[in-house]
Amino acid sequence: MESPKTIQLDPTGGFVVKTRVLEGDAKHPLSTKVFINVCHDEKVPKPPGEFVPEKVFPLIVKNEWEIPLIVSLEKRDKDKKGVPSLVYDCCINSECFRWVQVNNDLRLILIEWCIESVELMYNMVLDRTYSFPKMLSKGELSKTEVSEEELKGGLQKKLQELKKNEVLGLLEELEPQPVEGGELPDLMNIEGKKRKPLIEEIDSMSLDKESTRETKAVSQPKKESSNSKNGPTAMEISVGTRKLQDGKLMLKFSSPHLTSAVEMEYCEGNLSLINLNPDVYLGEKNKLEVPLPPGFEPHRVFFCNKDSTLYAFAKAV
């Protein structure tokens, strides 16, 4: 039997994502630093056609478009203090890399794909709060050898199968239990206009009858800042999106500085997270805007106290 033809990638450095292990095993201990080298090579396939944001982003939400990437074998390294760390190379097509250099939204989505791919291949969970060290790569990039089948989509099919096998019960856990006499009313009664939605605050992802709280609006925080001497802290938020099995879209806003002192607004296709906590700031307007794909409207919003994460669900209309 003829052995499959292989191609050796010779990646060029791009940028580095630094995160840590949240859930792992003996080979991937908790809190171990993880460096993901986002690199590129012309030999890696690219999606068909050109990158046109207004056409591509709706397809991304439907899981019908993605940037193929090749993940290297796991590498062991040490940080500046000599602490052991894990390193992975995620290699994409060079033209695709130019796309993410000019479009920040696509860059954030690519980072999420890279993190997910490493998680799925090495069976761990990584922190979505990450940073960007000032380097083109952490260590020497791997000249990964892959078969033509993998380059043509075999690896992507494998990753898709792994994704399909993931437990996607988050929506079921977050959805409140039906109340007697009918369903829980929508928390975001938009009707196409700019309204202030209500946010349900929860302690964990499991909403049984004992842990379910009454829906309440987010109240304004106190004017006094406990961090007044040094000024407010800059808040970085990672945003992840996922299309759920029932057709809804889930947006996940995560940051260690995120609290329930937020508002969510929807206007002209944009879902906005507005920070009300005086101890932190979120850009010049204290606001983060995320565009929803055409045909979707906000449905429900939950803030999880346990992991400082806000979940917003959008449904097709």
Side-chain angles (χ1 to χ4, degrees):
M1 184 177 178
E2 186 179 352
S3 58
K5 295 181 180 180
T6 60
I7 296 174
Q8 189 176 70
L9 302 179
D10 189 9
T12 300
F15 61 91
V16 180
V17 178
K18 179 184 176 183
T19 182
R20 64 189 180 95
V21 177
L22 285 183
E23 296 179 20
D25 50 28
K27 294 182 179 180
H28 312 97
L30 180 67
S31 295
T32 300
K33 290 183 181 179
V34 173
F35 295 89
I36 298 178
N37 293 322
V38 182
C39 49
H40 58 95
D41 188 305
E42 294 286 357
K43 293 188 287 291
V44 179
K46 66 172 188 174
E50 294 299 314
F51 172 66
V52 181
E54 54 268 26
K55 294 181 180 180
V56 166
F57 286 127
L59 295 177
I60 292 176
V61 172
K62 299 176 183 178
N63 288 325
E64 295 177 358
W65 192 97
E66 67 177 326
I67 295 177
L69 59 91
I70 304 296
V71 183
S72 72
L73 295 176
E74 184 175 270
K75 297 179 284 186
R76 303 275 168 165
D77 205 332
K78 293 183 179 180
D79 63 12
K80 294 180 180 179
K81 298 181 181 179
V83 179
S85 60
L86 302 169
V87 182
Y88 308 89
D89 301 341
C90 288
C91 190
I92 65 173
N93 179 272
S94 296
E95 185 175 351
C96 294
F97 186 78
R98 290 190 283 271
W99 295 345
V100 304
Q101 289 293 84
V102 298
N103 189 289
N104 189 58
D105 291 333
L106 185 62
R107 177 186 171 99
L108 293 174
I109 293 171
L110 173 65
I111 292 171
E112 177 65 23
W113 283 338
C114 291
I115 291 176
E116 280 189 355
S117 297
V118 171
E119 288 177 328
L120 291 169
M121 292 187 68
Y122 293 98
N123 193 29
M124 57 180 169
V125 177
L126 300 179
D127 195 343
R128 278 348 188 240
T129 302
Y130 45 78
S131 60
F132 302 102
K134 294 181 179 179
M135 57 180 76
L136 296 178
S137 67
K138 173 66 173 175
E140 186 176 349
L141 294 173
S142 300
K143 295 186 177 181
T144 304
E145 192 173 88
V146 294
S147 68
E148 288 186 346
E149 181 185 355
E150 288 176 327
L151 283 175
K152 291 178 181 177
L155 180 61
Q156 298 307 308
K157 290 178 182 177
K158 180 180 177 182
L159 288 173
Q160 286 298 329
E161 289 174 1
L162 286 169
K163 289 179 183 178
K164 288 178 182 178
N165 292 333
E166 275 190 301
V167 179
L168 297 180
L170 178 60
L171 178 64
E172 295 177 0
E173 293 176 346
L174 285 172
E175 285 284 0
Q177 299 295 325
V179 296
E180 294 183 5
E183 296 183 352
L184 191 72
D186 269 1
L187 299 178
M188 300 190 71
N189 184 19
I190 304 297
E191 297 181 357
K193 300 180 181 180
K194 183 176 179 180
R195 302 282 183 86
K196 183 190 299 183
L198 300 176
I199 298 177
E200 182 159 356
E201 192 174 341
I202 57 177
D203 289 322
S204 66
M205 293 184 186
S206 179
L207 289 180
D208 52 28
K209 293 182 180 180
E210 294 180 358
S211 63
T212 302
R213 295 185 177 183
E214 294 182 0
T215 302
K216 61 180 182 180
V218 175
S219 58
Q220 291 282 347
K222 296 179 180 179
K223 293 184 179 180
E224 296 82 16
S225 171
S226 60
N227 198 24
S228 57
K229 293 183 179 180
N230 300 322
T233 302
M235 176 166 56
E236 293 185 359
I237 295 181
S238 64
V239 182
T241 61
R242 172 175 286 173
K243 185 73 173 293
L244 301 172
Q245 290 178 330
D246 65 352
K248 289 190 180 72
L249 176 67
M250 182 187 78
L251 292 87
K252 180 180 177 182
F253 300 82
S254 301
S255 171
H257 300 113
L258 189 62
T259 70
S260 59
V262 294
E263 288 182 356
M264 296 295 289
E265 290 184 349
Y266 176 70
C267 183
E268 298 180 351
N270 289 321
L271 187 63
S272 300
L273 184 150
I274 303 171
N275 172 54
L276 301 177
N277 185 350
D279 292 337
V280 295
Y281 68 92
L282 182 61
E284 295 181 0
K285 298 181 180 180
N286 244 341
K287 177 190 294 188
L288 174 64
E289 290 188 351
V290 178
L292 290 182
F296 279 85
E297 276 191 356
H299 178 47
R300 290 191 172 105
V301 179
F302 302 90
F303 181 80
C304 182
N305 293 305
K306 185 177 181 180
D307 57 3
S308 298
T309 298
L310 187 141
Y311 298 91
F313 295 91
K315 63 180 181 179
V317 293

